[in-house]
Amino acid sequence: MMTLSMEDIPHLEMETVYSRPESLSSRPTHYCPGCTHGIAHRILAEAFDELGIRERVILVAPVGCSVFAYDYFEADGCEAAHGRAPAMATGIKRTRPDNIVVSYQGDGDLASIGAAEILHAAARGEHITSIFINNAVYGMTGGQMAPTTLLGQRTTSSPTGRDANMTGFPLRMSELLSQLDATAYIARVSLHDVKHIRQAKKAVITALKAQMQGLGFSMVEMLSSCPTNWGMTPKDALKWVETNMIPQYPLGDYKMIDEVRALALERKQG
Amino acid sequence: MAHGTIEIDHARCKGCELCTTVCPKQIIVMDTTTLNAKGYHPANLFDPDDHCTGCAICAVICPDTCITVYREAAVHLERR
């Protein structure tokens, strides 16, 4: 194995401009090659570092591919039953209001079995931040159809493509939750290219700031890829997110109360 | 143009090739002559002409945080 060390680099005045964020553990992840969970983890960890809140964060991990998410952060975490991360996060936040409570869920977890929990946590305006990874399939169990699966999309449980007559239509969670009065910030971002990853990080920081200011419930939905279960190369999967998922799940800030808008502007100016 | 370089942690690399698709200088290639302990061909910097600018785009897309990016510091150059 060949590795470069700083001694090998001729220009010793080089400075490090990018390295693993402190909040991210050095443990290699179990995710498949090209899985965007790794990108989502990293931008979340970078947000913890930038806001200086690592010591205060409690991460609630879901059931799904990201079931071991708490292992990959140098922050406190716990594991919720399938779909119940917002309920557990509610309990933690109410008993420890000074902590920053973040739930991290996939689409099978949040939009299907956990639909009630996320809706009611949002409706109550719990002061938690939810990171919602939407890759349009159940990843861990083998690529079955999820509520977010696109019409016509082939999965292991819809081998001829999702049929609206049989299984209804894809669920747009950001639009749904943005209708609730108690939500403070609901945004949908995408992880399909570098520009959008940078925008996603800004959205995560805004959502965490909203929680730190006690403004209410915040959620960032991230359109993600699942190369393994989609049967594509990682590069093609990111292209598929752009061409197929974004038209069905348009990006943007679906709900942003004035106080949150002020926080986001503050970042832009600073 | 700024001058930089990257260091790839070959042991962590899962060979997804995303860094090779985003590099504006096209100087990251898959090393098909070796396998890491996970069984993947790792990505490698091939930059004999010093094209790397340390833009960190590869590090932003890398799902496994394998890439550390270095860049010549402008402040250091001014100091001399």
Side-chain angles (χ1 to χ4, degrees):
Chain A
M1 190 187 75
M2 194 197 84
T3 50
L4 276 174
S5 70
M6 280 304 281
E7 284 75 33
D8 300 324
I9 300 164
H11 300 276
L12 290 174
E13 67 269 34
M14 292 253 181
E15 67 175 12
T16 306
V17 289
Y18 204 100
S19 59
R20 182 186 311 122
E22 258 182 47
S23 300
L24 200 65
S25 137
S26 60
R27 186 185 303 233
T29 65
H30 69 282
Y31 302 120
C32 305
C35 174
T36 45
H37 265 306
I39 300 175
H41 282 17
R42 196 188 61 237
I43 59 180
L44 192 54
E46 285 173 5
F48 294 162
D49 282 3
E50 282 185 28
L51 295 170
I53 55 175
R54 183 165 70 95
E55 298 284 322
R56 291 165 65 198
V57 166
I58 299 177
L59 186 87
V60 185
V63 171
C65 286
S66 48
V67 65
F68 298 128
Y70 50 81
D71 271 351
Y72 302 139
F73 288 88
E74 295 287 357
D76 289 328
C78 61
E79 174 63 47
H82 202 355
R84 273 59 180 175
M88 188 175 238
T90 296
I92 295 171
K93 185 69 182 182
R94 288 192 178 201
T95 49
R96 301 186 66 96
D98 291 338
N99 284 85
I100 307 296
V101 184
V102 180
S103 72
Y104 186 104
Q105 296 179 271
D107 50 346
D109 192 71
L110 182 141
S112 181
I113 190 169
E117 280 74 13
I118 192 74
L119 269 174
H120 287 280
R124 293 191 304 268
E126 298 296 343
H127 294 179
I128 60 173
T129 300
S130 175
I131 305 295
F132 171 35
I133 307 295
N134 179 358
N135 62 6
V137 284
Y138 277 84
M140 183 183 71
T141 49
Q144 289 85 1
M145 196 191 82
T148 46
T149 296
L150 307 187
L151 289 182
Q153 184 183 340
R154 289 183 181 193
T155 68
T156 49
S157 56
S158 60
T160 57
R162 182 174 184 173
D163 174 12
N165 291 323
M166 175 81 91
T167 53
F169 292 85
L171 209 49
R172 294 190 181 96
M173 290 308 292
S174 288
E175 284 87 333
L176 255 175
L177 297 188
S178 67
Q179 301 302 311
L180 302 170
D181 293 330
T183 51
Y185 181 58
I186 306 286
R188 183 183 288 125
V189 296
S190 173
L191 301 177
H192 74 272
D193 65 19
V194 171
K195 178 183 158 198
H196 285 86
I197 291 169
R198 293 197 164 126
Q199 287 172 354
K201 183 175 156 189
K202 283 180 190 157
V204 168
I205 288 178
T206 304
L208 290 170
K209 275 187 175 174
Q211 180 180 169
M212 290 159 75
Q213 304 277 327
L215 299 176
F217 179 87
S218 54
M219 183 178 89
V220 180
E221 173 177 352
M222 299 181 180
L223 299 185
S224 299
S225 69
C226 184
T228 300
N229 287 307
W230 294 356
M232 297 177 194
T233 63
K235 183 190 174 187
D236 290 346
L238 292 186
K239 192 78 196 153
W240 198 85
V241 170
E242 186 182 5
T243 55
N244 294 58
M245 284 186 78
I246 292 179
Q248 173 70 32
Y249 298 111
L251 307 181
D253 297 328
Y254 282 88
K255 174 89 175 271
M256 201 181 208
I257 61 171
D258 291 342
E259 291 89 332
V260 176
R261 195 174 299 278
L263 286 176
L265 282 174
E266 182 185 292
R267 175 174 169 80
K268 207 173 268 178
Q269 284 156 0
Chain B
M1 191 63 89
H3 177 247
T5 191
I6 60 168
E7 187 182 334
I8 299 176
D9 186 343
H10 293 184
R12 290 175 74 93
C13 180
K14 293 176 186 159
C16 74
E17 305 187 8
L18 289 181
C19 52
T20 67
T21 68
V22 297
C23 176
K25 303 289 183 186
Q26 308 264 301
I27 48 176
I28 308 177
V29 291
M30 303 313 290
D31 185 355
T32 50
T33 59
T34 56
L35 292 169
N36 64 13
K38 292 179 196 290
Y40 297 117
H41 292 307
N44 215 348
L45 179 71
F46 181 71
D47 189 16
D49 302 322
D50 277 350
H51 285 311
C52 181
T53 61
C55 68
I57 285 177
C58 51
V60 172
I61 199 105
C62 177
D64 293 289
T65 338
C66 306
I67 304 178
T68 309
V69 183
Y70 305 96
R71 194 188 298 155
E72 269 180 353
V75 281
H76 292 180
L77 293 177
E78 280 163 17
R79 215 181 284 153
R80 286 185 180 181

